[in-house]
Amino acid sequence: MATSIPVTKSARQALIGELIARQPIRSQAALRQALVAEGIEVTQATLSRDLLELKATKVRDREGHQVYAIPSDGGVRRAEDATVAGLQRWCHELLVSCDRVGSNVILRTPAGAAQLLASAIDRAVLEGVAGTLGGDDTIFMICRSEEAAKRATEYLLGFIDTP
């Protein structure tokens, strides 16, 4: 039997984040079943709102299945540490390539993952990066100088081999 968790919005959303981080969740129905297994009943409408507020998106996993992902690791660490850990995780899982063009960088991800990674980059507030635009599988990262683009590219590529 699962431990009882207070059914507050915050507790429910924290659990949703943990479930999505722990296991591949392919649908709202699967997520709802996982919540029921944890002792939390939720309507489909509430679950949809929770996913929207958590900025959950569907990305393709390594096997090509679409699964939910949330652009924050949900850890109980300082905000800066969580942001860097989240960026590291998303780069490791989603960053396919970087191509520097002057002071801009084009980043490639699997289909459907660009907005998730772009959001993580924006939240990390990298020095010299003005912002990102995320499409389906491509991110346009605008940097303030060619040197800033070089530093940001090296920083992000450094996370690819980091587990």
Side-chain angles (χ1 to χ4, degrees):
M1 181 171 197
T3 45
S4 177
I5 296 177
V7 190
T8 65
K9 180 179 175 179
S10 296
R12 185 180 63 246
Q13 288 184 352
L15 179 58
I16 289 170
E18 289 175 25
L19 290 170
I20 288 173
R22 268 197 319 238
Q23 62 196 31
I25 303 285
R26 295 185 186 168
S27 66
Q28 287 188 15
L31 180 56
R32 192 169 179 211
Q33 288 175 345
L35 287 167
V36 167
E38 295 286 336
I40 295 179
E41 295 277 342
V42 62
T43 66
Q44 192 275 328
T46 299
L47 189 54
S48 289
R49 278 191 302 273
D50 285 343
L51 289 168
L52 185 64
E53 289 176 14
L54 289 168
K55 298 181 181 173
T57 59
K58 284 215 172 171
V59 298
R60 292 200 184 276
D61 64 12
R62 294 180 197 267
E63 290 80 41
H65 300 109
Q66 286 201 335
V67 296
Y68 279 105
I70 297 176
S72 167
D73 71 354
V76 188
R77 291 178 263 181
R78 290 188 344 229
E80 310 91 274
D81 292 343
T83 300
V84 171
L87 179 60
Q88 179 178 356
R89 184 173 118 220
W90 292 125
C91 283
H92 176 72
E93 293 180 14
L94 303 175
L95 186 58
V96 174
S97 69
C98 290
D99 184 20
R100 203 165 33 92
V101 182
S103 63
N104 300 309
V105 181
I106 304 298
L107 300 103
R108 301 281 182 188
T109 70
Q115 291 183 8
L116 180 66
L117 182 55
S119 178
I121 292 168
D122 288 338
R123 275 193 321 284
V125 191
L126 301 179
E127 184 179 340
V129 175
T132 62
L133 296 171
D136 181 55
D137 63 354
T138 305
I139 300 166
F140 181 64
M141 186 168 67
I142 302 105
C143 298
R144 298 186 190 287
S145 68
E146 288 187 33
E147 183 58 34
K150 180 180 177 188
R151 282 192 313 270
T153 301
E154 290 171 355
Y155 182 71
L156 295 173
L157 287 174
F159 290 140
I160 289 179
D161 295 327
T162 307

mmCIF file of all heavy atoms in Angstrom, residues 70-110:
data_model
loop_
_atom_site.group_PDB
_atom_site.id
_atom_site.type_symbol
_atom_site.label_atom_id
_atom_site.label_comp_id
_atom_site.label_asym_id
_atom_site.label_seq_id
_atom_site.Cartn_x
_atom_site.Cartn_y
_atom_site.Cartn_z
ATOM 1 N N ILE A 70 9.239 17.064 -18.033
ATOM 2 C CA ILE A 70 9.044 18.355 -17.374
ATOM 3 C C ILE A 70 10.400 19.044 -17.314
ATOM 4 O O ILE A 70 11.388 18.437 -16.916
ATOM 5 C CB ILE A 70 8.452 18.175 -15.963
ATOM 6 C CG1 ILE A 70 7.069 17.549 -16.067
ATOM 7 C CG2 ILE A 70 8.380 19.512 -15.227
ATOM 8 C CD1 ILE A 70 6.420 17.236 -14.755
ATOM 9 N N PRO A 71 10.480 20.338 -17.680
ATOM 10 C CA PRO A 71 11.771 21.013 -17.765
ATOM 11 C C PRO A 71 12.410 21.389 -16.439
ATOM 12 O O PRO A 71 13.202 22.281 -16.371
ATOM 13 C CB PRO A 71 11.448 22.277 -18.583
ATOM 14 C CG PRO A 71 10.018 22.521 -18.347
ATOM 15 C CD PRO A 71 9.391 21.174 -18.145
ATOM 16 N N SER A 72 12.100 20.694 -15.380
ATOM 17 C CA SER A 72 12.730 20.924 -14.081
ATOM 18 C C SER A 72 12.893 19.580 -13.418
ATOM 19 O O SER A 72 12.024 18.719 -13.546
ATOM 20 C CB SER A 72 11.859 21.838 -13.213
ATOM 21 O OG SER A 72 12.303 21.819 -11.892
ATOM 22 N N ASP A 73 13.997 19.388 -12.683
ATOM 23 C CA ASP A 73 14.188 18.081 -12.071
ATOM 24 C C ASP A 73 13.403 17.924 -10.777
ATOM 25 O O ASP A 73 13.370 16.842 -10.218
ATOM 26 C CB ASP A 73 15.667 17.780 -11.855
ATOM 27 C CG ASP A 73 16.299 18.598 -10.757
ATOM 28 O OD1 ASP A 73 15.659 19.499 -10.199
ATOM 29 O OD2 ASP A 73 17.457 18.321 -10.454
ATOM 30 N N GLY A 74 12.768 18.967 -10.274
ATOM 31 C CA GLY A 74 11.911 18.862 -9.101
ATOM 32 C C GLY A 74 12.647 18.546 -7.814
ATOM 33 O O GLY A 74 12.031 18.205 -6.821
ATOM 34 N N GLY A 75 13.966 18.634 -7.807
ATOM 35 C CA GLY A 75 14.728 18.321 -6.606
ATOM 36 C C GLY A 75 14.552 19.367 -5.523
ATOM 37 O O GLY A 75 14.079 20.464 -5.759
ATOM 38 N N VAL A 76 14.924 19.007 -4.321
ATOM 39 C CA VAL A 76 14.820 19.940 -3.206
ATOM 40 C C VAL A 76 16.201 20.551 -2.974
ATOM 41 O O VAL A 76 16.831 20.347 -1.966
ATOM 42 C CB VAL A 76 14.326 19.214 -1.938
ATOM 43 C CG1 VAL A 76 14.018 20.201 -0.836
ATOM 44 C CG2 VAL A 76 13.113 18.371 -2.244
ATOM 45 N N ARG A 77 16.680 21.262 -3.967
ATOM 46 C CA ARG A 77 17.968 21.932 -3.902
ATOM 47 C C ARG A 77 17.747 23.407 -4.122
ATOM 48 O O ARG A 77 16.658 23.837 -4.449
ATOM 49 C CB ARG A 77 18.890 21.401 -5.000
ATOM 50 C CG ARG A 77 19.313 19.978 -4.767
ATOM 51 C CD ARG A 77 20.157 19.533 -5.901
ATOM 52 N NE ARG A 77 19.288 18.810 -6.806
ATOM 53 C CZ ARG A 77 19.677 18.250 -7.913
ATOM 54 N NH1 ARG A 77 20.909 18.331 -8.288
ATOM 55 N NH2 ARG A 77 18.843 17.603 -8.680
ATOM 56 N N ARG A 78 18.815 24.171 -3.959
ATOM 57 C CA ARG A 78 18.704 25.596 -4.282
ATOM 58 C C ARG A 78 18.269 25.735 -5.726
ATOM 59 O O ARG A 78 18.589 24.909 -6.569
ATOM 60 C CB ARG A 78 20.059 26.269 -4.088
ATOM 61 C CG ARG A 78 20.476 26.389 -2.657
ATOM 62 C CD ARG A 78 21.729 27.230 -2.509
ATOM 63 N NE ARG A 78 22.432 27.411 -3.756
ATOM 64 C CZ ARG A 78 23.725 27.219 -3.917
ATOM 65 N NH1 ARG A 78 24.463 26.860 -2.922
ATOM 66 N NH2 ARG A 78 24.294 27.408 -5.084
ATOM 67 N N ALA A 79 17.575 26.809 -6.030
ATOM 68 C CA ALA A 79 17.034 27.011 -7.375
ATOM 69 C C ALA A 79 18.133 26.963 -8.433
ATOM 70 O O ALA A 79 17.959 26.357 -9.480
ATOM 71 C CB ALA A 79 16.290 28.339 -7.443
ATOM 72 N N GLU A 80 19.288 27.596 -8.160
ATOM 73 C CA GLU A 80 20.364 27.596 -9.150
ATOM 74 C C GLU A 80 20.869 26.188 -9.409
ATOM 75 O O GLU A 80 21.135 25.812 -10.536
ATOM 76 C CB GLU A 80 21.555 28.463 -8.708
ATOM 77 C CG GLU A 80 21.220 29.855 -8.248
ATOM 78 C CD GLU A 80 20.974 29.929 -6.752
ATOM 79 O OE1 GLU A 80 19.838 29.691 -6.348
ATOM 80 O OE2 GLU A 80 21.903 30.230 -5.999
ATOM 81 N N ASP A 81 21.026 25.382 -8.349
ATOM 82 C CA ASP A 81 21.503 24.013 -8.498
ATOM 83 C C ASP A 81 20.512 23.176 -9.287
ATOM 84 O O ASP A 81 20.885 22.394 -10.153
ATOM 85 C CB ASP A 81 21.726 23.367 -7.134
ATOM 86 C CG ASP A 81 22.879 23.988 -6.371
ATOM 87 O OD1 ASP A 81 23.706 24.682 -6.997
ATOM 88 O OD2 ASP A 81 22.950 23.790 -5.152
ATOM 89 N N ALA A 82 19.225 23.337 -8.987
ATOM 90 C CA ALA A 82 18.193 22.588 -9.698
ATOM 91 C C ALA A 82 18.174 22.978 -11.167
ATOM 92 O O ALA A 82 18.008 22.132 -12.038
ATOM 93 C CB ALA A 82 16.832 22.830 -9.056
ATOM 94 N N THR A 83 18.361 24.266 -11.454
ATOM 95 C CA THR A 83 18.348 24.735 -12.832
ATOM 96 C C THR A 83 19.509 24.145 -13.608
ATOM 97 O O THR A 83 19.338 23.656 -14.724
ATOM 98 C CB THR A 83 18.393 26.274 -12.874
ATOM 99 O OG1 THR A 83 17.247 26.770 -12.192
ATOM 100 C CG2 THR A 83 18.388 26.795 -14.288
ATOM 101 N N VAL A 84 20.701 24.155 -13.033
ATOM 102 C CA VAL A 84 21.880 23.598 -13.710
ATOM 103 C C VAL A 84 21.728 22.087 -13.854
ATOM 104 O O VAL A 84 22.024 21.531 -14.914
ATOM 105 C CB VAL A 84 23.181 23.960 -12.957
ATOM 106 C CG1 VAL A 84 24.368 23.194 -13.524
ATOM 107 C CG2 VAL A 84 23.429 25.455 -13.039
ATOM 108 N N ALA A 85 21.238 21.412 -12.815
ATOM 109 C CA ALA A 85 21.040 19.967 -12.896
ATOM 110 C C ALA A 85 20.013 19.628 -13.967
ATOM 111 O O ALA A 85 20.182 18.674 -14.725
ATOM 112 C CB ALA A 85 20.607 19.412 -11.548
ATOM 113 N N GLY A 86 18.956 20.423 -14.049
ATOM 114 C CA GLY A 86 17.945 20.200 -15.079
ATOM 115 C C GLY A 86 18.509 20.411 -16.470
ATOM 116 O O GLY A 86 18.278 19.619 -17.385
ATOM 117 N N LEU A 87 19.283 21.478 -16.648
ATOM 118 C CA LEU A 87 19.903 21.754 -17.942
ATOM 119 C C LEU A 87 20.859 20.623 -18.309
ATOM 120 O O LEU A 87 20.867 20.148 -19.448
ATOM 121 C CB LEU A 87 20.641 23.091 -17.910
ATOM 122 C CG LEU A 87 21.361 23.473 -19.201
ATOM 123 C CD1 LEU A 87 20.393 23.578 -20.372
ATOM 124 C CD2 LEU A 87 22.104 24.793 -19.004
ATOM 125 N N GLN A 88 21.638 20.171 -17.346
ATOM 126 C CA GLN A 88 22.573 19.080 -17.601
ATOM 127 C C GLN A 88 21.820 17.833 -18.053
ATOM 128 O O GLN A 88 22.188 17.185 -19.035
ATOM 129 C CB GLN A 88 23.377 18.772 -16.336
ATOM 130 C CG GLN A 88 24.351 17.632 -16.496
ATOM 131 C CD GLN A 88 25.164 17.396 -15.235
ATOM 132 O OE1 GLN A 88 25.055 18.121 -14.260
ATOM 133 N NE2 GLN A 88 25.969 16.367 -15.253
ATOM 134 N N ARG A 89 20.753 17.505 -17.344
ATOM 135 C CA ARG A 89 19.974 16.319 -17.678
ATOM 136 C C ARG A 89 19.350 16.432 -19.069
ATOM 137 O O ARG A 89 19.428 15.504 -19.868
ATOM 138 C CB ARG A 89 18.877 16.101 -16.629
ATOM 139 C CG ARG A 89 18.084 14.838 -16.869
ATOM 140 C CD ARG A 89 17.139 14.579 -15.722
ATOM 141 N NE ARG A 89 15.804 14.608 -16.263
ATOM 142 C CZ ARG A 89 14.763 15.143 -15.677
ATOM 143 N NH1 ARG A 89 14.891 15.728 -14.517
ATOM 144 N NH2 ARG A 89 13.590 15.111 -16.222
ATOM 145 N N TRP A 90 18.749 17.597 -19.361
ATOM 146 C CA TRP A 90 18.090 17.749 -20.660
ATOM 147 C C TRP A 90 19.108 17.766 -21.797
ATOM 148 O O TRP A 90 18.844 17.210 -22.870
ATOM 149 C CB TRP A 90 17.204 18.989 -20.689
ATOM 150 C CG TRP A 90 16.024 18.847 -19.777
ATOM 151 C CD1 TRP A 90 15.653 19.701 -18.780
ATOM 152 C CD2 TRP A 90 15.059 17.788 -19.750
ATOM 153 N NE1 TRP A 90 14.531 19.229 -18.135
ATOM 154 C CE2 TRP A 90 14.144 18.054 -18.716
ATOM 155 C CE3 TRP A 90 14.886 16.633 -20.498
ATOM 156 C CZ2 TRP A 90 13.073 17.226 -18.416
ATOM 157 C CZ3 TRP A 90 13.827 15.794 -20.199
ATOM 158 C CH2 TRP A 90 12.935 16.098 -19.173
ATOM 159 N N CYS A 91 20.266 18.362 -21.596
ATOM 160 C CA CYS A 91 21.303 18.342 -22.643
ATOM 161 C C CYS A 91 21.760 16.911 -22.885
ATOM 162 O O CYS A 91 21.892 16.469 -24.029
ATOM 163 C CB CYS A 91 22.492 19.213 -22.264
ATOM 164 S SG CYS A 91 22.204 20.979 -22.472
ATOM 165 N N HIS A 92 22.002 16.187 -21.797
ATOM 166 C CA HIS A 92 22.463 14.800 -21.911
ATOM 167 C C HIS A 92 21.445 13.954 -22.677
ATOM 168 O O HIS A 92 21.817 13.146 -23.529
ATOM 169 C CB HIS A 92 22.717 14.215 -20.525
ATOM 170 C CG HIS A 92 23.106 12.774 -20.543
ATOM 171 N ND1 HIS A 92 24.336 12.346 -20.974
ATOM 172 C CD2 HIS A 92 22.409 11.664 -20.216
ATOM 173 C CE1 HIS A 92 24.384 11.031 -20.897
ATOM 174 N NE2 HIS A 92 23.231 10.594 -20.446
ATOM 175 N N GLU A 93 20.164 14.170 -22.389
ATOM 176 C CA GLU A 93 19.127 13.338 -22.995
ATOM 177 C C GLU A 93 18.667 13.829 -24.367
ATOM 178 O O GLU A 93 18.244 13.021 -25.187
ATOM 179 C CB GLU A 93 17.913 13.253 -22.065
ATOM 180 C CG GLU A 93 18.205 12.497 -20.790
ATOM 181 C CD GLU A 93 17.011 12.408 -19.864
ATOM 182 O OE1 GLU A 93 15.875 12.701 -20.303
ATOM 183 O OE2 GLU A 93 17.209 12.044 -18.699
ATOM 184 N N LEU A 94 18.740 15.147 -24.614
ATOM 185 C CA LEU A 94 18.084 15.685 -25.802
ATOM 186 C C LEU A 94 18.993 16.364 -26.823
ATOM 187 O O LEU A 94 18.623 16.474 -27.987
ATOM 188 C CB LEU A 94 17.002 16.698 -25.381
ATOM 189 C CG LEU A 94 15.919 16.187 -24.447
ATOM 190 C CD1 LEU A 94 15.011 17.328 -24.022
ATOM 191 C CD2 LEU A 94 15.128 15.067 -25.110
ATOM 192 N N LEU A 95 20.153 16.855 -26.421
ATOM 193 C CA LEU A 95 20.991 17.615 -27.344
ATOM 194 C C LEU A 95 21.692 16.684 -28.323
ATOM 195 O O LEU A 95 22.451 15.803 -27.919
ATOM 196 C CB LEU A 95 22.017 18.450 -26.565
ATOM 197 C CG LEU A 95 22.878 19.397 -27.390
ATOM 198 C CD1 LEU A 95 22.012 20.389 -28.163
ATOM 199 C CD2 LEU A 95 23.846 20.136 -26.484
ATOM 200 N N VAL A 96 21.411 16.887 -29.604
ATOM 201 C CA VAL A 96 22.002 16.062 -30.649
ATOM 202 C C VAL A 96 23.229 16.743 -31.232
ATOM 203 O O VAL A 96 24.267 16.118 -31.428
ATOM 204 C CB VAL A 96 20.958 15.761 -31.754
ATOM 205 C CG1 VAL A 96 21.592 15.034 -32.923
ATOM 206 C CG2 VAL A 96 19.799 14.960 -31.180
ATOM 207 N N SER A 97 23.117 18.058 -31.515
ATOM 208 C CA SER A 97 24.259 18.772 -32.085
ATOM 209 C C SER A 97 24.117 20.270 -31.876
ATOM 210 O O SER A 97 23.034 20.768 -31.594
ATOM 211 C CB SER A 97 24.377 18.479 -33.591
ATOM 212 O OG SER A 97 23.296 19.069 -34.288
ATOM 213 N N CYS A 98 25.260 20.968 -32.007
ATOM 214 C CA CYS A 98 25.315 22.425 -31.947
ATOM 215 C C CYS A 98 26.104 22.894 -33.158
ATOM 216 O O CYS A 98 27.133 22.308 -33.494
ATOM 217 C CB CYS A 98 26.058 22.911 -30.700
ATOM 218 S SG CYS A 98 25.220 22.651 -29.144
ATOM 219 N N ASP A 99 25.620 23.952 -33.783
ATOM 220 C CA ASP A 99 26.331 24.535 -34.923
ATOM 221 C C ASP A 99 26.378 26.040 -34.698
ATOM 222 O O ASP A 99 25.349 26.703 -34.697
ATOM 223 C CB ASP A 99 25.597 24.199 -36.226
ATOM 224 C CG ASP A 99 26.327 24.692 -37.457
ATOM 225 O OD1 ASP A 99 27.546 24.958 -37.376
ATOM 226 O OD2 ASP A 99 25.676 24.810 -38.508
ATOM 227 N N ARG A 100 27.598 26.554 -34.475
ATOM 228 C CA ARG A 100 27.766 27.983 -34.213
ATOM 229 C C ARG A 100 27.868 28.733 -35.526
ATOM 230 O O ARG A 100 28.617 28.359 -36.421
ATOM 231 C CB ARG A 100 29.031 28.183 -33.372
ATOM 232 C CG ARG A 100 29.043 29.441 -32.585
ATOM 233 C CD ARG A 100 30.119 29.452 -31.505
ATOM 234 N NE ARG A 100 31.346 28.755 -31.805
ATOM 235 C CZ ARG A 100 32.415 29.321 -32.360
ATOM 236 N NH1 ARG A 100 32.408 30.591 -32.662
ATOM 237 N NH2 ARG A 100 33.495 28.625 -32.581
ATOM 238 N N VAL A 101 27.088 29.818 -35.657
ATOM 239 C CA VAL A 101 27.102 30.671 -36.839
ATOM 240 C C VAL A 101 27.250 32.104 -36.331
ATOM 241 O O VAL A 101 26.275 32.727 -35.923
ATOM 242 C CB VAL A 101 25.803 30.524 -37.668
ATOM 243 C CG1 VAL A 101 25.870 31.381 -38.918
ATOM 244 C CG2 VAL A 101 25.528 29.069 -38.010
ATOM 245 N N GLY A 102 28.487 32.593 -36.317
ATOM 246 C CA GLY A 102 28.734 33.926 -35.772
ATOM 247 C C GLY A 102 28.381 33.960 -34.302
ATOM 248 O O GLY A 102 28.882 33.166 -33.514
ATOM 249 N N SER A 103 27.502 34.867 -33.940
ATOM 250 C CA SER A 103 27.121 34.990 -32.532
ATOM 251 C C SER A 103 25.837 34.219 -32.215
ATOM 252 O O SER A 103 25.247 34.397 -31.150
ATOM 253 C CB SER A 103 26.932 36.473 -32.160
ATOM 254 O OG SER A 103 25.875 37.023 -32.913
ATOM 255 N N ASN A 104 25.412 33.360 -33.116
ATOM 256 C CA ASN A 104 24.216 32.550 -32.901
ATOM 257 C C ASN A 104 24.573 31.076 -32.911
ATOM 258 O O ASN A 104 25.602 30.679 -33.470
ATOM 259 C CB ASN A 104 23.173 32.838 -33.988
ATOM 260 C CG ASN A 104 22.765 34.295 -33.986
ATOM 261 O OD1 ASN A 104 22.405 34.841 -32.951
ATOM 262 N ND2 ASN A 104 22.842 34.930 -35.144
ATOM 263 N N VAL A 105 23.710 30.263 -32.294
ATOM 264 C CA VAL A 105 23.949 28.827 -32.245
ATOM 265 C C VAL A 105 22.656 28.119 -32.635
ATOM 266 O O VAL A 105 21.574 28.486 -32.169
ATOM 267 C CB VAL A 105 24.383 28.380 -30.820
ATOM 268 C CG1 VAL A 105 24.664 26.884 -30.792
ATOM 269 C CG2 VAL A 105 25.593 29.170 -30.345
ATOM 270 N N ILE A 106 22.784 27.122 -33.486
ATOM 271 C CA ILE A 106 21.660 26.273 -33.863
ATOM 272 C C ILE A 106 21.860 24.945 -33.138
ATOM 273 O O ILE A 106 22.886 24.288 -33.307
ATOM 274 C CB ILE A 106 21.615 26.026 -35.389
ATOM 275 C CG1 ILE A 106 21.571 27.344 -36.153
ATOM 276 C CG2 ILE A 106 20.449 25.111 -35.742
ATOM 277 C CD1 ILE A 106 20.357 28.193 -35.885
ATOM 278 N N LEU A 107 20.886 24.583 -32.308
ATOM 279 C CA LEU A 107 20.950 23.326 -31.566
ATOM 280 C C LEU A 107 19.899 22.377 -32.127
ATOM 281 O O LEU A 107 18.790 22.811 -32.453
ATOM 282 C CB LEU A 107 20.684 23.570 -30.079
ATOM 283 C CG LEU A 107 21.665 24.511 -29.395
ATOM 284 C CD1 LEU A 107 21.036 25.866 -29.210
ATOM 285 C CD2 LEU A 107 22.076 23.950 -28.067
ATOM 286 N N ARG A 108 20.232 21.107 -32.228
ATOM 287 C CA ARG A 108 19.304 20.097 -32.747
ATOM 288 C C ARG A 108 18.945 19.121 -31.624
ATOM 289 O O ARG A 108 19.790 18.759 -30.807
ATOM 290 C CB ARG A 108 19.927 19.310 -33.901
ATOM 291 C CG ARG A 108 20.346 20.151 -35.058
ATOM 292 C CD ARG A 108 19.185 20.525 -35.914
ATOM 293 N NE ARG A 108 19.684 21.302 -37.047
ATOM 294 C CZ ARG A 108 18.924 21.900 -37.900
ATOM 295 N NH1 ARG A 108 17.624 21.838 -37.788
ATOM 296 N NH2 ARG A 108 19.449 22.585 -38.882
ATOM 297 N N THR A 109 17.675 18.718 -31.630
ATOM 298 C CA THR A 109 17.147 17.759 -30.656
ATOM 299 C C THR A 109 16.326 16.718 -31.408
ATOM 300 O O THR A 109 16.022 16.910 -32.583
ATOM 301 C CB THR A 109 16.226 18.456 -29.626
ATOM 302 O OG1 THR A 109 15.021 18.856 -30.287
ATOM 303 C CG2 THR A 109 16.894 19.639 -28.961
ATOM 304 N N PRO A 110 15.916 15.643 -30.729
ATOM 305 C CA PRO A 110 14.938 14.748 -31.354
ATOM 306 C C PRO A 110 13.628 15.505 -31.599
ATOM 307 O O PRO A 110 13.372 16.539 -30.968
ATOM 308 C CB PRO A 110 14.742 13.642 -30.317
ATOM 309 C CG PRO A 110 15.974 13.700 -29.462
ATOM 310 C CD PRO A 110 16.382 15.143 -29.441
#
